Amino acid sequence: MTKVTLVARGVDGKLYREFKAEAVRRGMKVSQAIEESMRLWLSSREQVKSEVDINNEAYERMREELEAKYKGKYAVISGGKLIGVCNDLREVREVLRRREAGRHAIVVKVGVDRREEHEWLGGSLE
Amino acid sequence: MARGIFRVVECWSYDGDMPKIDVVLVSVDGRRVPEKGVLRLNIDTGFSGSILLTRRHYEMFMLGELPESAFRVYRTLTGEIVMRRARATLTLPKVGVELETFVETPRLGEGKLLAGREVINKIPMLLNGPEKTCCYVSKAELLEK
């Protein structure tokens, strides 16, 4: 396994001191604590990703049915399920609060929201 | 083309030579972004979308995201970029204007803080280049149609 040397500029000093103290309390080197933090951060990304995938797969499964029944309304999908069909965004907010949606939810205006082509010319593009 | 006299409601300075606009965004589930203060966005008339955010800011809108099949594809000088897209409400605190809008961030990459044409076209605004000021205006008197 290749080991690398990291130099990071601009890290919050207070946060780093707390991090280092916690590593010492756990009997770890700072490098070990950083590796563990990286693994945790990457695994949390996977968790969000899987929730996103679950909701998108659910939407594609129910898409035809939604378009037949609820055109023009807002469908709310969370946890891989349809958790509400709403007339406006105020109702959507209530559904999301009542149902305690996880970290991701799809809110789609049925039959209206579609893939669109746009342009981004020069300007702020790097 | 309608011509008229416009009344300046509020002006603010560019940052250097870049026109900017201060906004507050609210996610579909009611979270204010940023929690305090305002988000300063570059005005980019070459960007045809609404609000482009960095990945970190966009994550606050994950509870109102559109399905991937409704993500936008942007043609750029160097190829196509797919943008994640979510619903949001935009407020201009200087003038109290509120609009429903979309926020976006690249599916791959870090993103930027920009206001594009889809937002700019909904706001009566003057970009006064020589004086390096942006002004929010309202129509005071219609001269002719």
Side-chain angles (χ1 to χ4, degrees):
Chain A
M1 182 172 44
T2 311
K3 293 282 183 184
V4 297
T5 302
L6 293 180
V7 176
R9 296 184 203 282
V11 176
D12 182 326
K14 183 170 178 283
L15 181 66
Y16 178 70
R17 284 192 294 279
E18 284 177 20
F19 180 80
K20 191 175 174 183
E22 183 59 28
V24 171
R25 273 194 289 277
R26 295 185 192 196
M28 299 167 81
K29 293 178 183 170
V30 171
S31 59
Q32 291 172 318
I34 289 172
E35 280 178 2
E36 190 175 308
S37 303
M38 287 175 171
R39 284 191 197 98
L40 274 171
W41 185 73
L42 289 170
S43 67
S44 74
R45 185 188 63 173
E46 289 305 311
Q47 192 185 335
V48 174
K49 188 180 160 194
S50 65
E51 212 172 329
V52 172
D53 289 344
I54 288 165
N55 288 336
N56 274 286
E57 285 164 13
Y59 169 70
E60 292 305 330
R61 272 200 310 276
M62 61 181 83
R63 187 172 175 168
E64 276 186 24
E65 191 184 346
L66 288 173
E67 290 189 355
K69 287 183 181 172
Y70 303 116
K71 201 164 185 177
K73 294 185 182 292
Y74 292 97
V76 186
I77 297 160
S78 177
K81 292 176 187 166
L82 181 67
I83 63 167
V85 177
C86 307
N87 290 307
D88 55 40
L89 291 177
R90 191 170 302 174
E91 286 182 20
V92 171
R93 180 181 303 185
E94 289 308 310
V95 166
L96 288 170
R97 285 183 173 171
R98 215 171 39 237
R99 300 295 294 265
E100 293 183 353
R103 296 169 67 177
H104 180 264
I106 284 177
V107 176
V108 59
K109 196 165 190 180
V110 179
V112 176
D113 291 332
R114 298 185 183 285
R115 176 146 294 195
E116 296 168 3
E117 285 205 3
H118 278 250
E119 64 181 18
W120 188 5
L121 306 169
S124 305
L125 189 62
E126 286 171 6
Chain B
M1 185 175 69
R3 296 172 64 195
I5 296 172
F6 291 84
R7 185 170 61 89
V8 171
V9 178
E10 175 79 32
C11 291
W12 58 95
S13 299
Y14 287 13
D15 272 0
D17 66 350
M18 179 62 79
K20 306 260 182 172
I21 187 167
D22 290 342
V23 304
V24 172
L25 298 166
V26 179
S27 66
V28 170
D29 59 313
R31 278 187 282 183
R32 187 188 195 278
V33 179
E35 279 184 47
K36 291 177 184 172
V38 293
L39 204 56
R40 179 155 288 188
L41 308 174
N42 288 347
I43 294 175
D44 184 349
T45 57
F47 178 63
S48 67
S50 293
I51 302 288
L52 183 66
L53 296 178
T54 61
R55 170 69 48 127
R56 180 173 68 85
H57 287 102
Y58 182 84
E59 281 179 359
M60 304 298 286
F61 297 89
M62 295 289 274
L63 283 180
E65 189 168 58
L66 275 71
E68 286 183 12
S69 54
F71 286 174
R72 287 173 170 169
V73 180
Y74 284 78
R75 292 186 308 276
T76 77
L77 299 174
T78 52
E80 290 187 337
I81 299 177
V82 178
M83 301 276 192
R84 306 181 75 95
R85 179 157 70 126
R87 288 199 148 74
T89 303
L90 174 147
T91 304
L92 305 181
K94 288 180 195 285
V95 289
V97 169
E98 194 173 292
L99 307 168
E100 274 184 25
T101 190
F102 292 109
V103 293
E104 298 179 85
T105 202
R107 189 150 68 175
L108 301 171
E110 275 306 304
K112 285 183 163 238
L113 295 175
L114 298 180
R117 295 204 300 270
E118 210 168 48
V119 164
I120 300 308
N121 286 343
K122 291 177 183 168
I123 303 170
M125 181 185 272
L126 165 72
L127 298 183
N128 184 348
E131 294 187 13
K132 295 195 171 20
T133 48
C134 304
C135 296
Y136 181 75
V137 297
S138 68
K139 191 168 276 185
E141 187 186 338
L142 195 63
L143 293 178
E144 61 184 61
K145 280 192 178 174

